[in-house]
């Protein structure tokens, strides 16, 4: 139980007095607001406030700023970096009540939405209007648009459509002192100086609270083919990707699974593996374009020895079964004790990195189990260490493993966060990927926008 000081009691009384029913205290604060998907130790904040309008967000932030109380913005709590995890003395600000798609502009192919709307609801509204919102990943039913913007989320469509940042035309954002910045641009061409929205996208709630957004929509998908291939080695995965592109196929996803991942995931499925489990590498690819072009490219790759075996889905059900192998990652928190790495490296270097990282991990932690997959067309590798396979799975061991892996990433000029953000979990390793001068400019920006340091302190920057 959190202890509440006299000062806190007076502040909470004033908070409830000002914001009434939208404030929850003590045991009324749901567990879902106390931690995210990282499995970080849950922490009950001093209060949870649930504003339903931008004006309310503004009033809450002004109030907390005047009282020098820290505020932790919360979306769907599906983050994988601990960015939304509150501290015991903070006020959690849930955007869940600020939800709903406001409008779709068919002429401009844009959608205006409130921050607390789920990604799934945005995808559905786009589809209903004859478009597609191309950001997609497993947490679509729970994560909020505000959360996806604040983490600049990726997913498997990035290879074709880019990250969340690339889908955003405008935002409305509330600053720490309560000022509302109207950056709700809806025009594709608009060169009027600094494009400030990009400071807030990917800022993980440290610079402002995003309340609304204008998103770009894409045309609906047509003639999409789903293909699973077994490959002899990593360079073949890279050259097969080029071959598909040369065949005028638009890659919607190119998900490479190392043997360790494929074998483990197939063991979790109810059906027989679609391809034998003895190949070094597998790629699940989704491509838009002519079926003839795809079959021809596949035949060429088979005769060149680039692809060893393949299965092309002949129905939506079969495609879904192939995707289930890749989406086994959603089971990781239940079936493994995962230490997750979400890193970026140059595309040709990813295969060598996996070998180097595995050799290093096996040398220090004998018998450790490692599984790998990556959106390699986006330079993104997800390496997972199973804590169950460690002799001692302690916070110290986990920290030592992280330090070694991030050191290796830094030495190779990679990024310690490809798409999940920095949050709490990677904050102390940021220097491996960000130059001290850049860190200084980031701190200057933080101080300029939030001089009292009330917005999500301790996240992203130390
Ligand atoms: C099963 C699963 C699969 C995933 N797959 C992917 C994937 O493929 N690619 C990928 O990139 N990510 C993936 N993620 C992680 C992804 O970052 C989050 O799911 C999502 O982007 C976070 O949204 P959220 O609303 O849950 O945010 P939260 O977890 O609530 O918050 C995340 C961060 O954003 C801040 N924040 C939230 N809302 C706002 C707001 N309105 N204004 C300002 N700051 C705010 C919080 O303070 C925190 O720092 C996955 C997560 C899960 C659980």
């Amino acid at each position: 139980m959190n202890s509440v000081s006299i000062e806190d009691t007076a502040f909470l009384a004033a908070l409830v007095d000002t914001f009434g029913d939208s404030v929850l205290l003590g045991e009324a604060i749901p567990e879902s607001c106390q931690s995210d998907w990282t499995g970080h130790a849950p922490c009950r904040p001093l209060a949870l406030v649930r504003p339903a309008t931008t004006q309310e967000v503004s009033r809450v932030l002004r109030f907390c700023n005047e009282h020098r109380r820290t505020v932790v913005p919360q979306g769907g709590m599906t983050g994988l970096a601990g960015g939304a995890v509150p501290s015991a003395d903070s006020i959690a600000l849930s955007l869940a009540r600020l939800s709903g798609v406001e409008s779709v502009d068919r002429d401009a192919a844009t959608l205006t939405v409130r921050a607390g709307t789920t990604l799934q609801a945005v995808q559905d509204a786009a589809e209903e209007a004859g478009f597609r919102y191309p950001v997609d990943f497993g947490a679509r039913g729970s994560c909020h648009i505000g959360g996806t913007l604040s983490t600049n989320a990726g997913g498997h469509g990035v290879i074709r459509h880019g990250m969340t940042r690339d889908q955003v035309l405008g935002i409305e954002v509330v600053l720490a002192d309560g000022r509302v910045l109207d950056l709700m641009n809806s025009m594709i061409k608009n060169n009027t100086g600094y494009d400030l929205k990009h400071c807030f996208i990917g800022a993980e709630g440290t610079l402002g609270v995003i309340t609304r957004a204008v998103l770009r929509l894409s045309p609906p998908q047509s003639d999409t083919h789903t293909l699973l291939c077994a490959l002899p080695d990593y360079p073949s995965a890279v050259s097969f990707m080029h071959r598909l592109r040369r065949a005028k196929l638009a890659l919607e996803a190119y998900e490479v699974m190392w043997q360790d991942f494929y074998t483990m995931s197939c063991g979790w499925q109810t059906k027989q593996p679609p391809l034998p489990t003895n190949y070094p590498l597998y790629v699940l690819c989704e491509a838009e374009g002519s079926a003839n072009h795809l079959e021809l490219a596949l035949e060429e790759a088979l005769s060149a020895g680039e692809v060893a075996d393949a299965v092309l889905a002949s129905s939506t059900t079969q495609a879904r079964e192939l995707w289930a192998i890749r989406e086994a990652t959603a089971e990781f928190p239940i079936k493994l004790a995962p230490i997750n790495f979400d890193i970026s490296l140059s595309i040709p270097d990813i295969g060598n990195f996996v070998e180097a990282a595995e050799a290093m991990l096996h040398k220090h932690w004998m018998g450790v189990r490692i599984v790998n997959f990556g959106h390699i067309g986006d330079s993104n590798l997800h390496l997972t260490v199973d804590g169950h396979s460690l002799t001692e799975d302690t916070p110290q061991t986990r920290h030592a493993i992280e330090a070694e892996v991030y050191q290796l990433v830094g030495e190779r000029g990679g990024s310690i966060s490809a798409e999940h953000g920095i949050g709490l979990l990677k904050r102390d390793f940021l220097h491996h990927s960000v130059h001290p001068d850049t860190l200084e400019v980031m701190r200057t920006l933080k101080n300029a926008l939030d001089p009292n340091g009330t917005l999500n302190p301790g996240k992203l920057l130390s």
Side-chain angles (χ1 to χ4, degrees), residues 226-234 237 254-266 269 274-277 279-285 321-329 332 350 354 371-376 380-382:
T226 306
L227 176 71
L228 178 73
C229 297
L231 307 160
D233 50 30
Y234 181 78
Y254 197 78
E255 306 283 294
V256 172
M257 297 171 275
W258 274 253
Q259 188 184 25
D260 41 37
F261 181 103
Y262 181 78
T263 310
M264 183 184 69
S265 174
C266 286
Q269 311 297 323
L275 293 172
T277 56
Y279 292 104
L281 227 64
Y282 298 81
V283 58
L284 177 66
C285 122
E321 283 166 11
L322 296 182
W323 267 104
I325 299 172
R326 154 63 188 86
E327 290 197 330
T329 42
F332 278 16
I350 291 180
V354 168
V371 287
N372 293 286
F373 84 94
H375 321 282
I376 69 147
N380 184 189
L381 173 72
H382 292 282

Side-chain angles (χ1 to χ4, degrees), residues 37 73 75-79 83 137 144 147 150-151 153-155 204-205 210 419 456:
W37 264 63
M77 301 302 282
T78 66
F137 49 83
H144 294 180
S150 300
T151 56
E204 303 179 42
I210 297 173
E419 55 178 4
N456 221 1

Side-chain angles (χ1 to χ4, degrees), residues 109 180 203:
V180 179

